[in-house]
Amino acid sequence: MSIQDEGPEVDVKPEKTGKRAKSGRPTIRDVSRLAGVSRMTVSRVMSEPDRVLPATRERVQRAIADLGYVPDKTAGSLASRRTGFIALIIPTLTNANFATVAQGLTEVLREADFHLLIGYTGYDIAEEERQLTSLLARRPEAIVLAGATHSRAASRMLLSADVPVLEVADLSARPLQHAVGFSNYEIGRVAARHLLGRGYRRIGAVGPVQDGQIRDYRGEERIRGFEEELRLSGLPTDLVLRHGVPPISYDHGAAALGLLLERDPSIEAVFAVSDLMAVGIIMESQRRGISVPNELAVMGFGDFEIGRVTNPPLTTIHVDFHALGRRAGAILLDVLSDDDAEEALHVVDVGLSIIERGSVGKKGSL
């Protein structure tokens, strides 16, 4: 059933132009003036359009479009404590796996009319603190962070934020609250065991270097796990190399191969903490006339699309980042829908798997 317009308020007069006389963000009053209706009618058009006469509805919608009006939900959120958005802080926007996490999160959260607000830190510890300060001032209903290592100041902010906190893409022995991820340390160990199982003994690895406050803690953990597994197997770790300031790139991999060959031209296999670096190693091997995997085996982490189309295709460690994002979203909805749910902490290991392709063979059969 349509409702007749209840008539303009006393100060409402239709304007002859689609532009406002004053500057600044358009308000519901501006829309009501331009459309020649009351503010109540404008509100009804936005919330219950089927209950407004078509002609009136069209006039209001045209005014909204002409003015570029966006409803301000802040006033209502002050009383209800609902802002409708969840903050996601990631180290970079260029890593496809973080984008996939955001996609999975969004798919689940938007079903409950939550929106994702994304900030990125550039792997900078101080920038994470700044991002948290800015986002918390806007009162998110939950905070999702990539990683489980934070500065003392950031940890204090998160622990006192009075909103659910969920860490993803890592697993700590003592998460702040909820966590959905995997052990980056274990990824390094799994990679080393895989190469050892293929008969390689002069094995190298490449991970990130720390530059002041710019650190890739997850990559560092993969290198640490790899190095530890070599030690446990009685092998030297002199070919485990830290090179390249995060974010890791193809160029870092190409440069790292040169450094590894300088240390030992007889190196047999290399693990890179990211597929991007691993692909750089493969490309540099081709430029140098080194056959992969006949003369050098290469293994990565992340299962990036480019690794599937290199020649040879890249052997890598796979994590289902899309499922990780969706699982994180489901946990947040559960916590946000039940006042008592936050008392039960969720810690989920999504697991990992090795994707065997042509860049790693079996030594002795190549």
Side-chain angles (χ1 to χ4, degrees), residues 127-206:
E127 181 59 27
E128 182 178 74
E129 294 177 15
R130 288 190 288 269
Q131 291 284 335
L132 277 172
T133 301
S134 176
L135 289 167
L136 285 171
R138 290 163 172 77
R139 296 181 60 177
E141 298 196 41
I143 298 176
V144 183
L145 306 101
T149 306
H150 318 284
S151 70
R152 186 171 300 176
S155 296
R156 280 198 300 265
M157 282 190 280
L158 290 165
L159 289 170
S160 61
D162 196 30
V163 297
V165 174
L166 193 154
E167 295 164 312
V168 298
D170 204 355
L171 278 182
S172 167
R174 298 177 61 188
L176 288 172
Q177 282 186 23
H178 312 286
V180 181
F182 49 89
S183 170
N184 284 285
Y185 174 79
E186 187 62 22
I187 280 172
R189 297 194 66 182
V190 166
R193 288 197 293 265
H194 184 73
L195 294 175
L196 289 167
R198 293 297 180 273
Y200 299 103
R201 290 298 177 267
R202 285 301 287 156
I203 304 174
V206 186

Side-chain angles (χ1 to χ4, degrees), residues 217-228:
Y217 290 103
R218 291 162 299 281
E220 291 176 15
E221 278 294 285
R222 289 170 217 147
I223 277 289
R224 189 172 74 87
F226 190 92
E227 201 168 33
E228 181 65 16

Side-chain angles (χ1 to χ4, degrees), residues 78-98:
L78 293 177
S80 67
R81 292 180 62 92
R82 288 292 305 272
T83 58
F85 83 87
I86 288 171
L88 169 65
I89 300 179
I90 54 179
T92 176
L93 296 174
T94 60
N95 186 308
N97 285 333
F98 290 125

